[in-house]
Structure formats: C-alpha cells, structure tokens
C-alpha cells in the first residue's frame, strides 16, 4: 500500500487558496461555508496537517474523513476539533455525483496568533476534546447545533463588520463561549452514548484480563490507551463518567483482582506471585497489596484457610 504524502498548511490564506475560496477577510480567523469548499479526488493520497485550529460541523457530505483512529461519515451533523499539528485524511469518492450539492456546514479556522496576549492562548489547551476528538467526534442534537451556529454567526458578523480595538476580545469571548458549550455537549455525549461507551469499557476489561499484560509490571495509562486506540484523556474522561474511577485506578484494581486469584487458588509463594505480576521486588508487591486491601498477601491467603 502506497504511503500517503503529508501536506502541511501553514496559513488560513493557504487553505482558502487550496480549496478554491476567496481570500479570508482576516489573516488569523475565518468562518467558511463548507458548501463552497472545492474537494478533489486527486488529493485522496494526501494526509493533511494544519498550523492552526479547525472547528467544524458538516452534514450530508459524501466524503470519508479519517481522523485519529476512526473514519467518519457525515449523514448527520458531526462536529470535530483539530489542533495544530494533528494529521487527517479526506477521501473523496469518484465520481462525486449529485449528492455533493447537498453538503452543508461550516468551518471555523483559528490561528494561535489570534489569541496572543489573551487568556485563551493558554486556556484553549485545557479543552480535552482537542486531544480525544481524534477518536470521538461530537454528535449534536438540533437544539445544540442551533446554539453553536448562533455563536458562529456572531463571530462572522464581528470580524466582517467591526474591525476596531474591541474586535479581538469580543471574538475571543465568543470562541470561549463556543468551547464551553462544546465541553457541555461532550459531557452529555458521554452519558447518552452509553452503548459505545460500555463497549469501550468491555474492551478495557478484556484487555486487563489478558494473559501476560502485567508480566512487565503495572502497564501505563498510555499503553492501555494505545491498545484501545483511544487517547489517555478521552479514556480517563469516559471512565470517570461511567464508573467514577480513573484509568489508573482500573488498572490497579485489576492487578489486585489477579493477585487475589493467584493467592487464593494456587500454591505460588508470595514472591512468585509478585514476579508473575511484573514486580521486580516482592516487597514492593507486598506494600502495594496492603495499601489497596488493608491486608498483607499472607493475611489475605490465610483468610481462605
């Protein structure tokens, strides 16, 4: 399979030129009508990377969008967030067909320099969906979509009509409002999309129960996330919403369960159990076990005799 070429877009003006749009009214921010964007199957072999933030909502689009570990269709309104330096691919079908005319939506393009000397330049990094959105797009209800579109329209009106000393701060305030609503809607999505979330939880439980996982010690959150094709922040948020526990707590609880099983059903010594669970020093295992159970491994074993 031929490796895809990586194309980096450094400016918003360059994006406008590549997609056949008029030059942006402002070099650091732009609201684009997605129906005006020119898509070409000739670019299917390209992976794209941006030097700016892209916040988009698209619907009825015939292309396939690969971002992070998943492909997305646009039969319904899907909102997603791309941070500078992230890689994605757009697959345009051949031929495009008449359905291409149905596509709709918008794209908010934001260069980091636009936030310069504002609190958002730092705070934008605290919105986790710029990390875990690579694996979980935001599905909006009609009411939620109307709320977001209203904010977008306010942003577009402000930079098209009122370029003065207040413009930047007013637009930044609108952007912060948009991000805060998105944060709320993502939290709602964790609750309402229980089937998908519980499937992730089932996969996590199966992974933690797999033979040999603990052979090299307690696996890191990063390793578990990679095995599940989910970012650490997203997995942590999902588990907190579903169970009230962090990923690290789940890992440690599973390790204790395995240790209890070995101590209660096998003749392995405490040292042998410690080594099988990846502890280099049995004393570390004893300390860990007692911290989690308020009993030493021997006391736990004796409780079964």
């Amino acid at each position: 399979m031929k490796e895809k070429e990586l194309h980096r877009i450094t400016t918003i003006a360059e994006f406008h030129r590549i997609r056949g749009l008029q030059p942006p009214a402002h070099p650091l921010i732009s609201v684009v009508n997605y129906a005006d964007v020119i898509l070409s199957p000739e670019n299917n072999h390209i992976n794209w990377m941006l030097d700016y933030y892209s916040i988009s909502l698209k619907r009825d689009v015939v292309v396939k969008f690969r971002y992070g570990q998943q492909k997305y269709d646009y039969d319904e309104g899907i909102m997603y967030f791309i941070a500078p330096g992230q890689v994605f691919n757009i697959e345009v079908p051949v031929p495009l067909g008449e359905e291409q005319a149905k596509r709709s939506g918008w794209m908010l393009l934001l260069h980091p320099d636009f936030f310069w000397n504002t609190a958002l330049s730092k705070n934008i990094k605290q919105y986790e969906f710029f990390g875990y959105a690579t694996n979980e797009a935001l599905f909006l209800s009609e009411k939620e979509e109307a709320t977001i579109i209203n904010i977008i329209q306010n942003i577009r009106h402000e930079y098209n009509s009122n370029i003065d000393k207040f413009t930047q701060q007013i637009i930044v305030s609108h952007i912060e409002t948009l991000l805060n609503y998105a944060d709320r809607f993502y939290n709602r999505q964790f609750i309402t999309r229980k089937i998908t979330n519980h499937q992730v939880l089932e996969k996590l439980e199966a992974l933690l129960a797999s033979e040999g996982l603990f052979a090299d010690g307690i696996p890191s959150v990063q390793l578990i996330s990679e095995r599940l094709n989910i970012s650490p922040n997203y997995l942590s948020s999902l588990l907190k919403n579903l169970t009230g526990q962090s990923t690290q707590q789940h890992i440690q609880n599973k390790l204790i369960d395995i240790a209890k099983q070995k101590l209660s059903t096998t003749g392995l010594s405490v040292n042998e159990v410690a080594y099988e669970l990846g502890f280099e020093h049995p004393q570390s295992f004893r300390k860990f076990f007692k911290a989690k159970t308020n009993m030493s491994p021997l006391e736990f074993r004796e409780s079964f005799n």
Side-chain angles (χ1 to χ4, degrees), residues 1 4 27 43 45 66 77 111 191 223 236:
M1 184 175 180
K4 293 184 182 293
N43 293 326
H45 68 286
R66 180 175 290 279
H111 196 282
I191 297 171
L223 174 64
S236 177

Side-chain angles (χ1 to χ4, degrees), residues 27-283:
L28 301 179
I29 182 172
S30 180
V31 177
V32 174
N33 183 347
Y34 194 66
D36 297 333
V37 174
I38 296 177
L39 300 173
S40 173
E42 296 177 359
N43 293 326
N44 284 357
H45 68 286
I46 295 177
N47 280 331
W48 303 93
M49 183 173 71
L50 312 177
D51 280 2
Y52 50 84
Y53 291 92
S54 175
I55 302 172
S56 305
L57 187 142
K58 305 172 186 177
R59 64 169 64 247
D60 297 321
V61 179
V62 297
V63 304
K64 301 292 185 182
F65 180 72
R66 180 175 290 279
Y67 181 34
Q69 299 296 330
Q70 297 203 27
K71 272 188 178 180
Y72 297 110
D73 299 318
Y74 292 105
D75 298 329
E76 56 182 313
I78 296 179
M79 191 174 180
Y80 64 93
F81 303 78
I82 301 177
Q86 294 177 337
V87 177
F88 62 94
N89 173 256
I90 300 172
E91 296 179 10
V92 181
V94 182
L96 289 177
E98 295 181 359
E99 292 184 0
Q100 185 71 354
K102 297 181 182 178
R103 61 192 172 101
S104 63
W106 51 264
M107 305 175 69
L108 173 61
L109 311 178
L110 301 164
H111 196 282
D113 288 351
F114 185 77
F115 312 134
W116 182 251
N117 206 29
T118 73
L120 189 58
S121 62
K122 178 180 179 181
N123 293 342
I124 196 169
K125 298 179 176 62
Q126 298 176 8
Y127 293 96
E128 294 182 346
F129 44 73
F130 278 112
Y132 64 59
T134 57
N135 295 290
E136 180 75 356
L138 176 57
F139 296 79
L140 298 177
S141 68
E142 289 186 10
K143 184 178 179 180
E144 291 169 347
E145 185 174 338
T147 297
I148 296 295
I149 289 176
N150 183 59
I151 299 171
I152 289 295
Q153 290 173 341
N154 289 337
I155 292 173
R156 178 159 45 191
H157 174 76
E158 184 63 32
Y159 79 73
N160 279 332
S161 306
N162 305 299
I163 302 298
D164 55 31
K165 66 178 182 179
F166 300 102
T167 301
Q168 182 196 34
Q169 189 54 53
I170 290 174
I171 293 177
V172 166
S173 295
H174 285 312
I175 294 170
E176 288 179 318
T177 300
L178 184 150
L179 295 176
N180 286 333
Y181 270 112
D183 210 13
R184 169 188 280 181
F185 299 155
Y186 258 117
N187 188 68
R188 181 271 308 156
Q189 182 163 294
F190 279 126
I191 297 171
T192 57
R193 299 188 70 221
K194 289 183 178 180
I195 294 177
T196 298
N197 293 341
H198 281 292
Q199 287 175 345
V200 173
L201 186 57
E202 289 172 2
K203 290 179 181 179
L204 172 63
E205 292 300 321
L207 174 61
L208 293 177
S210 60
E211 186 175 353
L213 179 66
F214 294 93
D216 297 321
I218 302 176
S220 66
V221 173
Q222 182 66 38
L223 174 64
I224 295 298
S225 301
E226 288 175 357
R227 295 280 186 91
L228 295 174
N229 289 326
I230 296 175
S231 76
N233 284 342
Y234 177 75
L235 181 59
S236 177
S237 295
L238 185 152
L239 291 176
K240 280 287 187 181
N241 276 274
L242 287 178
T243 69
Q245 295 183 325
S246 68
T247 308
Q248 188 63 47
Q249 287 173 313
H250 272 270
I251 295 171
Q252 292 177 351
N253 289 343
K254 178 56 66 172
L255 180 60
I256 289 297
D257 288 344
I258 296 173
K260 286 180 176 180
Q261 185 270 330
K262 290 181 180 293
L263 289 168
S264 61
T265 62
T266 74
L268 296 174
S269 68
V270 172
N271 286 2
E272 288 171 333
V273 171
Y275 292 135
E276 284 200 0
L277 293 177
F279 287 85
E280 293 184 11
H281 306 290
Q283 185 58 35

